[in-house]
Amino acid sequence: MCHTGARPRLPRSSCLHCSSVPACRLPQGPGTNMAPKRPACTLDPEDIKQLLLSSQEAKKLAYCPYSHFPVGAALLTSQGKVFSGCNIENASYPLTICAERTAIQKAVSEGYKDFRAMAVASDVQDDFVSPCGACRQVMREFGTNWAVYMAKPDGTYMVKTVEELLPNSFGPDDLQKPK
Ligand code: THU
């Protein structure tokens, strides 16, 4: 369902990137009539909705007795399988793992490494939850050209590719470069 140039099936009035038009923060072209840069992989609206719902469900299982900041993630593989994850905190605070990394580790440990998209949910009402730097780097390990849907509890979201979240990143290919 990755689009290959075709526009995603969204209402004409909607932003191509997010369902919350004023909040879309994707880079715009310099001219006002330039289309914004689209993610390489955009899901059908129904698939987006399901992924967002899965991330909200995952959030209910968050173990966050210290921060009281529950986060849920739902990771869609290229094979169509969804792995969920929540943040899991620890009394030794730095051992906390974020929802995004929980989902990725579950997927990889089950043999899935090709990802199409991830949805992330938090309880923050007025802003889209944004993955931390560590999670961005772990996402990037498995490609730069897949989509991250960052949602509000009301289901509105902002979507960016991993490349957009972590530009000019260091990845597996860099280790192969001549030294
Ligand atoms: N957290 C996530 O799970 N994902 C994010 O994108 C942001 C932060 C968690 C880590 C910690 O358990 C809590 O939120 C507060 O930082």
Side-chain angles (χ1 to χ4, degrees), residues 44-63:
D44 288 338
E46 187 55 32
D47 293 331
I48 297 170
K49 195 172 150 195
Q50 288 308 318
L51 204 62
L52 292 171
L53 286 173
S54 297
S55 68
Q56 288 178 348
E57 277 301 304
K59 175 165 59 77
K60 294 178 184 166
L61 298 174
Y63 175 74

Side-chain angles (χ1 to χ4, degrees), residues 11-172:
R12 286 181 73 86
S13 57
S14 296
C15 173
L16 285 171
H17 296 99
C18 70
S19 61
S20 180
V21 177
C24 180
R25 291 194 233 120
L26 276 173
Q28 306 286 318
T32 48
N33 59 351
M34 268 185 83
K37 208 172 122 204
R38 265 179 290 130
C41 180
T42 305
L43 304 183
D44 288 338
E46 187 55 32
D47 293 331
I48 297 170
K49 195 172 150 195
Q50 288 308 318
L51 204 62
L52 292 171
L53 286 173
S54 297
S55 68
Q56 288 178 348
E57 277 301 304
K59 175 165 59 77
K60 294 178 184 166
L61 298 174
Y63 175 74
C64 52
Y66 309 109
S67 72
H68 305 287
F69 191 89
V71 183
L75 178 63
L76 176 66
T77 71
S78 301
Q79 293 87 349
K81 203 167 157 58
V82 174
F83 289 90
S84 63
C86 60
N87 51 334
I88 306 171
E89 299 186 345
N90 194 280
S92 175
Y93 293 178
L95 298 185
T96 291
I97 183 166
C98 294
E100 296 92 321
R101 276 177 287 150
T102 301
I104 290 172
Q105 292 185 2
K106 283 172 68 178
V108 174
S109 64
E110 299 276 331
Y112 294 85
K113 291 193 291 274
D114 294 325
F115 306 139
R116 291 188 59 198
M118 177 184 277
V120 191
S122 83
D123 285 341
V124 175
Q125 297 291 331
D126 295 333
D127 207 356
F128 305 104
V129 59
S130 186
C132 76
C135 288
R136 292 175 192 214
Q137 181 66 33
V138 172
M139 289 171 180
R140 186 265 170 268
E141 181 71 17
F142 303 100
T144 55
N145 200 20
W146 52 285
V148 181
Y149 291 82
M150 299 161 275
K152 291 182 188 175
D154 66 4
T156 57
Y157 60 84
M158 173 175 69
V159 59
K160 288 184 184 282
T161 61
V162 173
E163 173 65 29
E164 288 168 326
L165 289 175
L166 193 67
N168 307 118
S169 62
F170 182 81

